[in-house]
Amino acid sequence: MKDKQVRVRFAPSPTGPLHIGGIRTALYNYLFARKNKGVMVLRIEDTDQNRSMPGTEEYIMKSLEWCGIRFDEGVREGGPYGPYRQSERKSLYEQYAMKLIEKGHAYYAFDTAEELEQMRKRQEAGGFKLTGYNQQSRLEMKNSLTLDKEDVQQRINNCEKYVIRIRIPENEEIKVFDEVRNWVNVDSSTMDDKVLFKSDGMPTYHLANVVDDHMMKITNVIRGEEWLPSLPLHALLYKYLGWENEMPDFAHLPLLLKPDGKGKLSKRDGDRLGFPVFPLQWKDPKTGEIYSGYRESGYFPEAFVNILVFLGWNPGTEQELFTMEELIDAFTLERVGKSGSRFDPEKAKWFNHQYLIGKSNAELATQYEKILKKKKIEISVAYVEKVVGLIKERANFVSDFWEQSKFFFIAPEDYEEKLVKKKWKENTPDILRDISAMLMDISDFSRDSIEKTVKDYIEEKELGMGQVMIALRLCLVGSGMGPDLFAIMELLGKKEVIQRVQRGIENIGG
Ligand code: GLU
């Protein structure tokens, strides 16, 4: 197995949009494939036609594309092991179910929904420890283990509905190796006879998944922990189909937990707790409900990938920011942890901030201009770039820019009352008038000359630095916020600064 070309697959079911857990699974598969110079396959597992949700396949593709996760083979790319959508492989699976029946590892079951319900009730009433269609109960049911051969054949000939179930062996210890959890041992008597092939002519997930992984020559199955309980069943299928020696290596990724660590992160948590759980915004086609997405909330895809990769993996070093290339280099399954990983929305914002400040002012200005345009603000790019340079340290998202910088585009209309009360003294207007006059005389109006002029004046008049600076800030910004005041002044320009000081004096009064 080790010298074979590595082949991994991401195999979502289009039953709903992928949430961050699904994207993380895709990401780990992608990193593993690239690191090992392998092949990444996208397979759509749509055997459960009743649960398919329109638009989700498209949504899955778009989300992965946004994250920069690329496939070598798949429904779009094609490839030598296609088709890659299970509904298009329908005719392939039955023969394997038949093979299992021939070898005595599976059987036909003709039980109706009512009969199954009665079985469940009997088990409940009897207080059975193990419930379900299993080694005990199958002997009381209507299946090819209890009915005689002719009867079975007749029912099939009469087109009676049936399913095919696996026949779980009695008293066998099933041992399977998982790269994250090591050996998993299961007593077969605790397992039930899962349906492999449904009455609608479709395989169930278990059969289709194993058959396809085998036929697509998958070497490593990397998937969410919710599939760990299915691993013993899958191992039995590999064995019974005669593929035991070619079984892929398995790695089950730890659960993603809610921010408080209590329970699995669910698709409802995000909007309830104020952060997205979906990569892109999603509108439920049935209910019309809208779920927020990372993209629409202003996250950069690189930041999103960086947030996700740390939910279950760590590099073993202090490094926190990784490009995709660096991740490919650093990623190993050995460094994937066993315990559930808690989602931290504040840390997610921190990651975005790091990527934001790493971007050039020019790139950010282009994005900011879209917001400014909507606000009908038309101003030179050079100006917007300078504004961005001054405020980006204070923002997590481009959408924070406006709150942090609107005073660069519009003069304040009102002034923070609390601050006025505290810092605006009787002599403030006179001081500001003096300063205005001096600013008027500065010829280059650069940050440093402004600073020198203002500070020299404060010193000479033996005034409090804080009082004067805050009064000036109130006039220019309207509040106590914002970056370095002298830089603000330089960017606003002499005329605007003097006008705003003048207006401040008039509006706040003396
Ligand atoms: N179709 C399954 C899912 O949606 C795939 C599980 C697997 O990777 O085996 O999660």
Side-chain angles (χ1 to χ4, degrees), residues 9 11-13 45 205 209 221-223 226-227:
R9 84 313 193 260
S13 301
E45 300 206 324
Y205 155 73
N209 186 272
V221 170
I222 303 168
R223 61 185 173 192
E226 63 272 29
W227 299 107

Short mmCIF file of all heavy atoms in Angstrom, two decimals, residues 9 11-13 45 205 209 221-223 226-227, ligand 1:
data_model
loop_
_atom_site.label_atom_id
_atom_site.label_comp_id
_atom_site.label_asym_id
_atom_site.label_seq_id
_atom_site.Cartn_x
_atom_site.Cartn_y
_atom_site.Cartn_z
N ARG A 9 -10.18 11.12 -1.36
CA ARG A 9 -11.41 11.67 -1.92
C ARG A 9 -12.13 12.49 -0.87
O ARG A 9 -12.02 12.25 0.34
CB ARG A 9 -12.29 10.56 -2.48
CG ARG A 9 -13.20 9.78 -1.54
CD ARG A 9 -12.59 9.31 -0.27
NE ARG A 9 -13.37 8.35 0.46
CZ ARG A 9 -14.13 8.63 1.52
NH1 ARG A 9 -14.21 9.85 1.99
NH2 ARG A 9 -14.79 7.67 2.14
N ALA A 11 -16.03 13.28 -0.15
CA ALA A 11 -17.24 12.61 -0.65
C ALA A 11 -18.51 13.15 0.00
O ALA A 11 -19.21 12.43 0.70
CB ALA A 11 -17.10 11.11 -0.40
N PRO A 12 -18.82 14.42 -0.23
CA PRO A 12 -20.01 14.97 0.43
C PRO A 12 -21.31 14.44 -0.14
O PRO A 12 -21.37 14.03 -1.30
CB PRO A 12 -19.88 16.47 0.15
CG PRO A 12 -19.14 16.54 -1.13
CD PRO A 12 -18.18 15.39 -1.12
N SER A 13 -22.33 14.46 0.70
CA SER A 13 -23.69 14.14 0.24
C SER A 13 -24.39 15.48 0.03
O SER A 13 -24.35 16.32 0.91
CB SER A 13 -24.43 13.34 1.30
OG SER A 13 -23.72 12.17 1.56
N GLU A 45 -21.92 11.90 -3.18
CA GLU A 45 -22.62 10.71 -2.67
C GLU A 45 -24.11 11.02 -2.55
O GLU A 45 -24.60 11.44 -1.50
CB GLU A 45 -22.01 10.28 -1.34
CG GLU A 45 -20.54 9.94 -1.50
CD GLU A 45 -20.01 8.96 -0.48
OE1 GLU A 45 -20.44 8.99 0.67
OE2 GLU A 45 -19.15 8.14 -0.87
N TYR A 205 -25.40 4.29 1.74
CA TYR A 205 -24.08 4.93 1.86
C TYR A 205 -22.97 3.89 2.05
O TYR A 205 -21.95 3.94 1.37
CB TYR A 205 -24.11 5.92 3.03
CG TYR A 205 -22.76 6.18 3.63
CD1 TYR A 205 -21.81 6.95 2.95
CD2 TYR A 205 -22.39 5.61 4.85
CE1 TYR A 205 -20.55 7.17 3.48
CE2 TYR A 205 -21.14 5.83 5.38
CZ TYR A 205 -20.22 6.59 4.70
OH TYR A 205 -18.98 6.79 5.20
N ASN A 209 -20.14 3.57 -0.67
CA ASN A 209 -18.90 4.19 -0.22
C ASN A 209 -17.72 3.22 -0.31
O ASN A 209 -16.65 3.56 -0.83
CB ASN A 209 -19.14 4.66 1.21
CG ASN A 209 -18.00 5.47 1.79
OD1 ASN A 209 -17.08 4.91 2.35
ND2 ASN A 209 -18.05 6.78 1.63
N VAL A 221 -8.61 7.19 3.54
CA VAL A 221 -9.93 7.78 3.80
C VAL A 221 -9.77 8.71 5.00
O VAL A 221 -9.42 8.28 6.09
CB VAL A 221 -10.97 6.69 4.10
CG1 VAL A 221 -12.26 7.30 4.62
CG2 VAL A 221 -11.23 5.86 2.84
N ILE A 222 -9.97 10.00 4.75
CA ILE A 222 -9.86 11.00 5.83
C ILE A 222 -11.23 11.65 5.93
O ILE A 222 -11.70 12.27 4.98
CB ILE A 222 -8.78 12.05 5.48
CG1 ILE A 222 -7.44 11.36 5.22
CG2 ILE A 222 -8.67 13.10 6.58
CD1 ILE A 222 -6.38 12.27 4.59
N ARG A 223 -11.90 11.44 7.06
CA ARG A 223 -13.28 11.94 7.17
C ARG A 223 -13.61 12.24 8.63
O ARG A 223 -12.83 11.97 9.53
CB ARG A 223 -14.25 10.90 6.60
CG ARG A 223 -14.21 9.59 7.33
CD ARG A 223 -15.10 8.55 6.65
NE ARG A 223 -14.93 7.25 7.28
CZ ARG A 223 -15.39 6.12 6.76
NH1 ARG A 223 -16.04 6.12 5.62
NH2 ARG A 223 -15.21 4.98 7.39
N GLU A 226 -17.82 11.36 12.94
CA GLU A 226 -19.16 10.75 12.96
C GLU A 226 -19.20 9.44 12.17
O GLU A 226 -20.13 8.66 12.31
CB GLU A 226 -20.22 11.74 12.47
CG GLU A 226 -20.10 12.21 11.04
CD GLU A 226 -19.21 13.43 10.86
OE1 GLU A 226 -18.27 13.62 11.66
OE2 GLU A 226 -19.44 14.18 9.90
N TRP A 227 -18.18 9.19 11.37
CA TRP A 227 -18.15 7.95 10.58
C TRP A 227 -17.35 6.84 11.25
O TRP A 227 -17.31 5.71 10.76
CB TRP A 227 -17.62 8.21 9.17
CG TRP A 227 -18.50 9.18 8.46
CD1 TRP A 227 -18.21 10.49 8.18
CD2 TRP A 227 -19.83 8.96 8.01
NE1 TRP A 227 -19.29 11.09 7.57
CE2 TRP A 227 -20.30 10.17 7.45
CE3 TRP A 227 -20.69 7.86 8.02
CZ2 TRP A 227 -21.57 10.32 6.92
CZ3 TRP A 227 -21.96 7.99 7.49
CH2 TRP A 227 -22.39 9.21 6.94
N1 GLU B 1 -21.14 11.06 2.15
C1 GLU B 1 -20.54 11.05 3.44
C2 GLU B 1 -20.74 12.43 4.05
O1 GLU B 1 -21.50 13.18 3.57
C3 GLU B 1 -19.07 10.72 3.30
C4 GLU B 1 -18.46 10.03 4.45
C5 GLU B 1 -17.11 9.47 4.05
O2 GLU B 1 -16.22 10.29 3.76
O3 GLU B 1 -16.98 8.25 4.03
O4 GLU B 1 -20.20 12.81 5.03
#
